[in-house]
Amino acid sequence: MPQIPEQIQELSVGQLSARSGAAVSALHFYESKGLISSRRTSGNQRRYTRDTLRRVAFVRAAQRVGIPLATIREALSELPEERTPTHEDWARLSEAWRRELDERIRQLNRLRDHLTDCIGCGCLSLDTCVLSNPDDAFGERRAGSRLLPERVGEGR
């Protein structure tokens, strides 16, 4: 990983990309979403403060565990004076995100278990398949699609 001399207090987008491992396009995207910010030089080039490295690391770590960018942006906006997240910030935020991740894990485990049942069965029955027709309450009353509205006056 390229080192940036300590006397350089602002980084170009290329330097930030090289140091953080994030693609330039990802950094532009993060900036457009309000996750990081830059100033513009007289030549309209982006310049990032050194602490942006930690913000990018924070964003990427949160993304790796599945936290949506909107949630990450909200978390970063709660930090005083737009400061860089600390270890304590990460601990507090990750605890709050744990419940959401636990729920996602529960849903994925349920999907995996149903997928295994389906592979074992092989039927893909629209009447009984928990993948094609999950939690089908209407299916207990009548077969067929519930997405199309029933026409009033049709004899069935």
Side-chain angles (χ1 to χ4, degrees):
M1 191 170 300
Q3 295 298 315
I4 299 167
E6 288 294 322
Q7 66 269 25
I8 296 176
Q9 294 304 308
E10 289 188 319
L11 310 174
S12 70
V13 70
Q15 289 171 319
L16 182 61
S17 173
R19 186 72 174 96
S20 68
V24 169
S25 59
L27 296 171
H28 290 169
F29 181 74
Y30 292 164
E31 189 169 356
S32 74
K33 296 299 180 186
L35 299 165
I36 62 175
S37 61
S38 67
R39 75 168 186 84
R40 297 294 183 128
T41 66
S42 59
N44 203 29
Q45 295 176 331
R46 289 177 168 93
R47 291 294 183 259
Y48 299 91
T49 57
R50 289 182 72 91
D51 65 336
T52 306
L53 282 167
R54 183 171 291 218
R55 288 179 77 88
V56 170
F58 180 88
V59 169
R60 295 185 77 202
Q63 280 186 295
R64 274 194 292 280
V65 296
I67 305 301
L69 287 179
T71 304
I72 297 168
R73 181 181 57 244
E74 184 180 307
L76 288 171
S77 71
E78 292 175 8
L79 298 178
E81 300 176 23
E82 299 275 326
R83 74 170 163 76
T84 301
T86 63
H87 176 75
E88 292 77 22
D89 293 326
W90 179 256
R92 179 178 47 81
L93 292 169
S94 64
E95 182 59 36
W97 294 338
R98 180 180 294 277
R99 289 181 297 278
E100 181 181 335
L101 292 173
D102 286 343
E103 176 59 22
R104 268 198 233 151
I105 290 167
R106 188 188 66 74
Q107 289 172 354
L108 287 170
N109 282 333
R110 182 175 177 225
L111 177 62
R112 181 206 55 219
D113 294 345
H114 290 312
L115 182 62
T116 301
D117 293 343
C118 192
I119 289 170
C121 170
C123 74
L124 287 178
S125 167
L126 294 179
D127 291 334
T128 60
C129 182
V130 295
L131 293 177
S132 298
N133 197 13
D135 301 322
D136 181 24
F138 290 114
E140 293 175 9
R141 290 187 261 164
R142 182 172 3 154
S145 174
R146 295 292 152 247
L147 298 177
L148 298 174
E150 293 184 26
R151 294 190 180 129
V152 177
E154 265 189 20
R156 289 192 184 222

